[in-house]
Amino acid sequence: MAFVRRKGNLFYLVHNVRRGGKVLQLHLARLGDRARITDEVVREVSKKHPFVELNWRALREHLSTRVDLANPNAPAVQKLVSSLRALNLDLAEIFPPLLRISESPAVSRELLVQLRLLQSTIQVKLDSLAVDAGDSAMRTRLRGLARRRS
């Protein structure tokens, strides 16, 4: 069974193997300062360790539940907010005329593709937050109605 282990400020994907009656940890991949399993990590581990069978979906699901967004002082939340602020500032510095006069049309196209992808990802997240907030507001209203009727 593979799992993610934190060592210092870094995360690693490890797998326990038994050799000669002893359990050894096989380090499959260094995940960096954020425990995230990308497609690149999957390819790299599958290539380096073809005989190790991993449930990638379960590992990704486990990691997605580890981030505690309810605690505003959690390091993961602080880092996420900091990254969003930095991205916002970086994007604010991009001027459309610079995209048009770029030396490389391929760079301009790739930047536009990535910006559109970011826009759609942000919209999906905002929509899911709105639904969650709406559900919460609806539950609150229903509780209030139920109290008035009793």
Side-chain angles (χ1 to χ4, degrees), residues 2-120:
F3 57 95
V4 175
R5 178 175 204 187
R6 183 178 186 157
K7 194 170 187 181
N9 292 329
L10 299 176
F11 291 91
Y12 296 89
L13 180 64
V14 296
H15 182 69
N16 287 338
V17 292
R18 189 173 290 276
R19 289 196 182 137
K22 293 185 177 183
V23 176
L24 301 173
Q25 281 194 349
L26 178 64
H27 286 251
L28 301 175
R30 178 180 171 215
L31 302 177
D33 60 349
R34 285 188 63 196
R36 185 183 320 174
I37 297 178
T38 62
D39 291 340
E40 183 179 339
V41 169
V42 173
R43 280 192 301 274
E44 179 184 312
V45 171
S46 298
K47 185 177 176 183
K48 285 185 181 178
H49 307 281
F51 299 111
V52 177
E53 291 184 32
L54 300 172
N55 185 342
W56 294 109
R57 188 167 70 172
L59 283 166
R60 284 179 169 151
E61 286 175 6
H62 175 69
L63 289 177
S64 69
T65 61
R66 290 184 64 184
V67 178
D68 180 17
L69 294 178
N71 179 3
N73 297 321
V77 173
Q78 294 294 320
K79 186 168 186 171
L80 177 61
V81 169
S82 175
S83 296
L84 288 171
R85 284 182 183 143
L87 177 61
N88 192 25
L89 292 172
D90 288 345
L91 290 174
E93 293 176 359
I94 297 174
F95 298 104
L98 289 177
L99 291 175
R100 283 191 287 263
I101 61 172
S102 172
E103 299 264 337
S104 169
V107 170
S108 293
R109 274 193 304 276
E110 180 63 22
L111 187 55
L112 288 173
V113 165
Q114 293 303 321
L115 286 170
R116 286 186 180 116
L117 179 60
L118 178 62
Q119 179 185 24
S120 65

